[in-house]
Amino acid sequence: MDGPVRKSKTILLKVWGDYACFTRPEMKVERVSYDVMTPSAARGLLEAILWKPAIQWHVEQIDVLKPIRWESVRRNEVGAQMSSRTNGLFIEDQRQQRAGLFLREVAYAIHAHFTMTDRAGPEDNVIKFEEMFVRRAEKGQCFHRPYLGCREFSAHFKLVLPDEQALEPMSETRELGWMLFDMIHDNKADRGHVHSCTEWCRPSFFKAVMENGRINLRDIEVRS
Amino acid sequence: MILQALTSYYNRTAQGGGDIAAPGFQKQQIPFLIVLTREGRFLDLQDTRSPEGKKKVGRTFIVPKAIKKTSGIAANLFWDTPAYVLGRPKPDQNDAPEKAEKQRRAFLDRMKEIFPNPNANVAVSAIFGFLEGNDFQTLLNHPSWKEIEEKGLVLGFKLDTDNCLVCERQDIVNALAGTKPSTKGNGICLVDGEVDVPVRLHTAIKGVWGAQTSGANIVSFNLKAFTSFNKKQGLNAPVGQRAEFAYTTALNNLLQKGSRQRLQVGDASTVFWAEKKHVMEDVFADIFGEPVKDNPVQDYKSLVAVFRAPETGSRPELEPNTRFFVLGLAPNAARIAVRFWYDGTVKEVAAHIYQHFEDCSIVHGPNQPETLSLFRMLVSTALQGKSENIQPNLAGDFMRSILAGTPYPQTLLAAAIRRLRAEHEVTYPRVALIKAVLVRESKYYNKDHREVDMALDKTNGNIGYRLGRLFAALEKIQEEANPGINATIRDRFYGAASSTPVAAFSRLMKLKNHHISKLDNRGRAVNLERVVGEIVDGIDEFPTYLSLGDQGRFAVGYYHQRQEFFTKKDEQQL
C-alpha cells in the first residue's frame, strides 16, 4: 500500500447479552465456550455495525465487565451440511440434540480501531468511516444483528463516547490459555468475490491473559 | 482450559513417577497371556482375571498404544484379539476366514515394521517362531480357549523366564521409544501453542458412565456438519501429538475403575484434580460420596475446615491457593459432552463446600446421617427414587452451584416439590434440599425477609411455612383421634393444601373439629387446640394459591412441626 497506514482513533463499544458462546474449536460439537470473548468475535460485532471493503478492524483490548458465569443447555442443532446443488434439506430429519456449556449474562467493552485497506478508493478516508461508525452505532443501526459468538445469542451494543465515564471491568487476573485469535484465509484460489477455503486457510492462536478484567491485544504474539 | 489443565496434570503425574503410561503406551486390561519358551514353543495359557462383582476382570498392563480401529484392519503391537493374533475370529461373526487371515498378517507385519530383524531380540523371535510355526493345536486344546474365542478376549505374550509381558520388557520398551515417528511438525497445537503434528483422530475416552464401553470422544468431528473452513477431522481443532496423548491419557487415568479421583453425580461422571499434589484430591470424593459404612458420621466440617484455615498455608501439602479443577462429563451418542467445568483454588472450593453443607443441614431423626450425600439428595427428586430418573441436567447444575457458591437451580426446587406432591412423603433429603435452595437464594440476592431455619421457628410468619405447620398439626390430631390409621389427611390433601390452601384448609379445619371431639383425653384435646390456635394466630384468611417458593416453605414447615412432635414425645417418655 502506498503511503503511511491510515489508522482511525480508538473506538470504545460496550456490548452485552443474556447468553454467549465463543465456541472452542476443540469442543465445537458439544459446545464449550471460551471464558471470555475472542478477538475474532469482537471483530465480528464491529463488522455487524460497519464494514466496507475499504476498512479493516483491529481489536486492541477487551474488558470483561461481568463475572464469568456458566450455564449448561441442551438444544437442537442440525447434523448435516447442505450441498449447494440441492434444493434444501428437511431440518426435522437432521435434528440432533447437543449439549452446550455457555456463558450467562455477559458484558464486554471493546477497544478497537480500523485501518484503510488497499481497496479504499480515492473518495474514502478515515474521518468518513469514523463518523459513519459513530452515527450508525448511536442510532443502533447494523447490517445484521450483532451476536455473541453464536447467531442465536444476540448482542446489545452502545457506543461509549470519550467524555463518558469509563466502564469498570471486574477485578480478576488469570491466564486463560491459548485462545483463537482469528482465521487466516488464503485468497489465492478465490474466484471473483467468492472465497472457498483451502487447506492453507488456518487458525491463529494467542496466549490470553486477563489482567484485572482486561485482555490486552496490542503487543501479543500470534502463532499460526 | 480443560485440555490445558489435563495436559499439565499428565506432566505432573509422569514427572512425579506416578502410575501413568509413558508416551506411546497405554494401560490395558489383558485377560489372557500366551506363555512361550525362548525357542517359541507354546507352554501355557495364563488367566490373569480376578473376580470383581459378577464379572471377571483382567489385570492391567502397560502396553503399546492401541491403534484406532474403524472398519478397516489395523493391528496393535504385541497384543490384540484372537482374530489378529491367531487368525481366529469370533464364531458368531460371519466374516469370511479370509478377513481373519488378513488380520493375522497385519499383526505380524506390524511387528516386522518395528523389528525388521526379529531374531535380534529373544522375545520377538520367540513370538515369531510361535506364530509362524502355525502349530497352535496345544493352544486350541486349552480349556480356556473356547471362551477366549467366543468373547474375543484380548491376548498378550509372555516368556516363561520373565515376569512381565513381552511388551513390558525393558529392551522392547527402549526399542519402541527409539522409533518415534520423526514427522516434522506442520501445525500449531492449540493446547500448548507449539509447533507439532496435529492429530487426526483422538484417542477414545473410556469410563464415562453411559457412554459406549469402547470409549467416546471429547474432541471429534464425526459428521460433516461439524467441520468448517474445508478442514477434515482433527484439523478443525489442531491438537498436537504430545498434547493429545497427554490429555487423553490423563483423563483415562482419572476415569479408570477404582480411581480415587472420580465421582458419579447423577448422569455426570465427574473427575477432579489439583494443579500440584494436594490432599484435597484424596478427600474430595469422600466429602460428596456415600458415607463409609463403618463410619457413618462423616465429620465433613473438620475435614473441610482444614482447607479453609489460613494458618495451614505453612504446610505445603495443604497450600490453599493451589488450583483445583472439577470436570463433569456426560455421554451424547459417540461423543462426550462437558456438563460442567470448575476451575478455582482449594480455598474457594473448601469454603463453598462448607457453605453447601451448612445450607443443607436441617433437624432430623436420630438414626439419620448428619450430612446427606449428593446422590441421596438427587435421588429424592427422582421418580421411584431411581438414579436413572434424575433429570439429566439437574445433577450437573447442582454440582456447579455447590462449587461456585451460586444459588441452586430453581429446577431442583420444582423437582423436589413435584415429587412431594406426587408421593406425599416429606422425607429428610427432600426437605433438606428444599431448605437449601430457599436459604441459598435469599442469601445470594440479599433478601431481607427471614428464611427458613434449621429447626422449628415459631416466629416465622411466612404464610407457606405456617400453613405447613398447621397441616402437620391437623394430621397429628387425626392420628391421635384414630390411632393406627392407614391413610391420613396427608395422603389425600397434601397436594391441594400446599398449592391451593383455601380449598383444602376450610375443609380440613372442619374435619379437625370432628377429630378433636373423638379424643378421649380432654387435656390432650385442649393442648392440641392450643397448638393449632398458636399457629393460625394472625392468619386472617387462607390464600388462594401458594407460589413455588412458598410451597417449599410449606414442606419445610410441615417437616419442622412434625419433627417437633416426635421430639416432644421422646421427652415425655423419658
Side-chain angles (χ1 to χ4, degrees):
Chain A
M1 197 205 293
D2 304 325
V5 177
R6 287 161 294 167
K7 175 175 177 262
S8 77
K9 64 182 183 208
T10 298
I11 283 160
L12 184 56
L13 187 74
K14 184 187 169 184
V15 297
W16 68 98
D18 293 339
Y19 286 92
C21 179
F22 308 105
T23 311
R24 291 166 182 277
E26 72 269 30
M27 284 163 227
K28 72 175 181 180
V29 182
E30 306 285 341
R31 289 176 197 276
V32 177
S33 174
Y34 277 116
D35 296 332
V36 296
M37 175 185 265
T38 60
S40 54
R43 178 178 57 76
L45 268 153
L46 297 163
E47 287 176 352
I49 300 169
L50 177 73
W51 181 80
K52 298 278 173 192
I55 62 171
Q56 185 181 9
W57 283 101
H58 303 275
V59 181
E60 294 173 11
Q61 185 181 318
I62 297 172
D63 298 345
V64 186
L65 306 178
K66 280 193 177 169
I68 299 165
R69 279 180 54 198
W70 298 91
E71 177 121 337
S72 131
V73 178
R74 257 171 104 81
R75 52 180 197 165
N76 292 332
E77 296 197 31
V78 177
Q81 214 173 38
M82 194 170 77
S83 153
S84 55
R85 289 190 302 269
T86 67
N87 291 325
L89 55 84
F90 189 47
I91 288 179
E92 294 305 328
D93 293 340
Q94 309 292 342
R95 281 254 184 266
Q96 284 219 331
Q97 285 246 303
R98 291 200 237 150
L101 199 55
F102 304 141
L103 297 170
R104 264 320 295 281
E105 285 168 34
V106 295
Y108 304 99
I110 303 169
H111 305 247
H113 68 263
F114 60 81
T115 52
M116 306 297 286
T117 65
D118 46 10
R119 288 170 76 183
E123 73 283 8
D124 291 333
N125 62 63
V126 167
I127 306 289
K128 169 183 160 182
F129 289 117
E130 257 176 28
E131 303 217 324
M132 231 167 135
F133 182 83
V134 171
R135 272 199 310 273
R136 290 180 66 83
E138 279 188 331
K139 276 198 256 176
Q141 278 180 308
C142 46
F143 296 142
H144 58 254
R145 185 76 215 163
Y147 55 90
L148 296 160
C150 290
R151 277 283 164 99
E152 48 271 56
F153 305 140
S154 57
H156 306 285
F157 63 92
K158 181 179 175 291
L159 187 73
V160 183
L161 296 171
D163 53 340
E164 272 180 87
Q165 220 174 356
L167 304 161
E168 199 47 50
M170 63 181 226
S171 59
E172 201 184 321
T173 300
R174 70 169 138 135
E175 289 196 5
L176 302 171
W178 288 87
M179 187 188 266
L180 180 75
F181 184 75
D182 216 326
M183 284 297 294
I184 299 169
H185 284 285
D186 170 46
N187 296 328
K188 280 186 207 106
D190 293 0
R191 283 205 203 102
H193 289 292
V194 182
H195 169 74
S196 44
C197 280
T198 67
E199 58 178 312
W200 304 111
C201 297
R202 59 194 195 278
S204 60
F205 296 94
F206 75 109
K207 198 163 197 174
V209 181
M210 180 165 71
E211 236 169 293
N212 291 319
R214 295 184 175 91
I215 299 154
N216 194 341
L217 303 165
R218 285 184 194 91
D219 301 304
I220 49 161
E221 183 200 354
V222 177
R223 294 188 189 173
S224 64
Chain B
M1 268 334 251
I2 299 171
L3 301 192
Q4 272 100 334
L6 281 168
T7 308
S8 46
Y9 175 73
Y10 172 81
N11 292 336
R12 183 198 108 188
T13 323
Q15 276 159 21
D19 178 30
I20 201 160
F25 294 85
Q26 71 170 50
K27 283 186 180 173
Q28 172 73 34
Q29 282 174 8
I30 308 237
F32 280 96
L33 305 180
I34 298 175
V35 186
L36 301 175
T37 63
R38 288 173 160 251
E39 293 76 42
R41 200 161 46 77
F42 172 77
L43 271 186
D44 192 18
L45 200 56
Q46 195 178 323
D47 190 345
T48 71
R49 297 174 303 174
S50 48
E52 199 168 289
K54 281 180 193 162
K55 281 191 282 187
K56 280 170 141 186
V57 176
R59 223 175 94 196
T60 306
F61 297 92
I62 292 189
V63 299
K65 201 158 156 27
I67 278 204
K68 191 142 187 164
K69 289 188 189 186
T70 45
S71 49
I73 291 175
N76 292 318
L77 195 57
F78 293 126
W79 63 277
D80 219 312
T81 54
Y84 278 93
V85 179
L86 298 170
R88 311 241 345 166
K90 281 188 192 176
D92 59 338
Q93 264 165 352
N94 39 16
D95 287 328
E98 297 94 74
K99 189 182 172 192
E101 182 54 30
K102 274 188 199 154
Q103 289 174 319
R104 195 174 87 85
R105 287 255 60 94
F107 186 75
L108 287 169
D109 291 345
R110 180 90 199 281
M111 280 194 292
K112 270 197 187 128
E113 200 182 298
I114 313 283
F115 298 94
N117 180 14
N119 295 331
N121 185 299
V122 61
V124 180
S125 84
I127 294 177
F128 268 95
F130 170 64
L131 289 182
E132 291 190 328
N134 268 329
D135 179 22
F136 305 143
Q137 214 44 57
T138 28
L139 172 60
L140 298 184
N141 289 338
H142 194 277
S144 300
W145 182 255
K146 208 167 160 243
E147 189 189 356
I148 297 176
E149 198 170 295
E150 269 167 12
K151 294 186 183 161
L153 296 175
V154 171
L155 297 162
F157 288 97
K158 181 176 168 293
L159 289 191
D160 57 342
T161 47
D162 291 347
N163 44 19
C164 63
L165 290 196
V166 165
C167 47
E168 287 177 318
R169 281 171 62 108
Q170 202 53 48
D171 51 345
I172 303 266
V173 171
N174 291 346
L176 286 178
T179 57
K180 283 242 181 69
S182 58
T183 341
K184 245 183 94 191
N186 55 357
I188 185 172
C189 170
L190 58 69
V191 175
D192 59 16
E194 304 296 329
V195 174
D196 201 346
V197 185
V199 179
R200 212 176 75 85
L201 294 173
H202 290 221
T203 311
I205 307 297
K206 290 184 190 184
V208 175
W209 185 77
Q212 294 163 5
T213 41
S214 54
N217 277 304
I218 288 192
V219 183
S220 83
F221 304 88
N222 54 358
L223 283 177
K224 224 181 157 200
F226 308 148
T227 63
S228 34
F229 303 119
N230 200 24
K231 302 267 175 277
K232 292 199 174 63
Q233 292 292 357
L235 294 178
N236 279 281
V239 179
Q241 282 177 348
R242 285 187 304 267
E244 188 269 341
F245 173 79
Y247 98 81
T248 52
T249 309
L251 193 51
N252 275 325
N253 218 40
L254 288 169
L255 281 167
Q256 73 182 327
K257 228 183 199 157
S259 163
R260 296 266 299 131
Q261 276 163 263
R262 74 167 288 170
L263 187 69
Q264 193 67 40
V265 184
D267 69 339
S269 301
T270 306
V271 291
F272 46 87
W273 67 98
E275 179 189 28
K276 51 190 180 214
K277 197 156 178 47
H278 197 284
V279 196
M280 189 65 155
E281 285 178 342
D282 303 329
V283 299
F284 192 80
D286 297 344
I287 295 173
F288 287 114
E290 281 288 314
V292 194
K293 283 222 171 65
D294 46 334
N295 178 21
V297 190
Q298 179 76 261
D299 189 8
Y300 71 92
K301 277 192 178 171
S302 59
L303 204 62
V304 177
V306 174
F307 301 109
R308 295 179 71 207
E311 62 265 30
T312 54
S314 54
R315 289 169 62 188
E317 75 271 23
L318 291 177
E319 176 57 63
N321 289 322
T322 309
R323 290 204 88 78
F324 194 74
F325 307 101
V326 186
L327 174 65
L329 301 171
N332 188 7
R335 300 183 298 262
I336 296 171
V338 176
R339 264 290 148 70
F340 58 91
W341 164 245
Y342 178 80
D343 163 5
T345 62
V346 166
K347 197 167 80 185
E348 285 164 9
V349 174
H352 289 147
I353 294 173
Y354 191 84
Q355 192 58 51
H356 162 71
F357 283 117
E358 203 78 326
D359 287 344
C360 287
S361 60
I362 192 166
V363 60
H364 56 82
N367 302 328
Q368 284 160 319
E370 187 65 33
T371 57
L372 290 160
S373 69
L374 283 189
F375 178 78
R376 290 247 309 195
M377 278 205 254
L378 282 169
V379 120
S380 75
T381 69
L383 181 68
Q384 296 176 317
K386 285 184 180 162
S387 61
E388 63 261 35
N389 291 335
I390 299 173
Q391 286 172 43
N393 236 344
L394 210 54
D397 286 347
F398 189 34
M399 189 73 184
R400 181 172 51 241
S401 47
I402 292 171
L403 294 172
T406 51
Y408 298 114
Q410 280 290 309
T411 42
L412 205 58
L413 181 62
I417 287 174
R418 194 162 49 237
R419 287 309 336 138
L420 268 181
R421 292 190 49 180
E423 289 173 18
H424 320 119
E425 290 297 335
V426 189
T427 60
Y428 170 41
R430 259 177 217 151
V431 180
L433 196 62
I434 293 172
K435 183 230 168 197
V437 176
L438 294 171
V439 168
R440 178 74 72 98
E441 190 182 65
S442 83
K443 206 180 300 169
Y444 194 80
Y445 294 113
N446 282 326
K447 289 201 177 137
D448 48 0
H449 72 79
R450 196 189 169 121
E451 211 27 274
V452 286
D453 221 329
M454 267 281 289
L456 184 64
D457 174 11
K458 288 186 177 167
T459 58
N460 191 328
N462 177 280
I463 187 72
Y465 187 78
R466 281 211 187 188
L467 290 180
R469 287 179 59 199
L470 178 60
F471 193 69
L474 296 180
E475 188 194 12
K476 178 77 181 158
I477 293 170
Q478 186 192 25
E479 277 171 354
E480 292 199 9
N482 310 305
I485 186 170
N486 267 331
T488 67
I489 56 170
R490 188 181 68 211
D491 297 290
R492 290 185 56 200
F493 291 100
Y494 185 88
S498 66
S499 53
T500 52
V502 71
F505 275 101
S506 44
R507 232 178 117 193
L508 289 173
M509 292 304 268
K510 269 185 223 136
L511 263 178
K512 177 209 68 175
N513 297 336
H514 287 297
H515 294 142
I516 291 265
S517 61
K518 271 178 81 179
L519 281 176
D520 295 330
N521 182 344
R522 284 335 286 168
R524 186 68 185 145
V526 172
N527 251 333
L528 286 169
E529 277 282 22
R530 209 195 61 226
V531 171
V532 170
E534 218 176 75
I535 298 171
V536 292
D537 181 37
I539 300 180
D540 297 330
E541 54 182 6
F542 295 114
T544 343
Y545 69 94
L546 290 180
S547 66
L548 194 65
D550 279 342
Q551 288 186 35
R553 287 176 198 102
F554 184 96
V556 180
Y558 172 84
Y559 180 83
H560 277 166
Q561 186 68 49
R562 229 178 133 67
Q563 289 291 328
E564 178 82 358
F565 284 135
F566 289 143
T567 36
K568 277 274 167 57
K569 214 192 294 171
D570 289 348
E571 277 161 20
Q572 279 166 1
Q573 281 167 353
L574 284 173

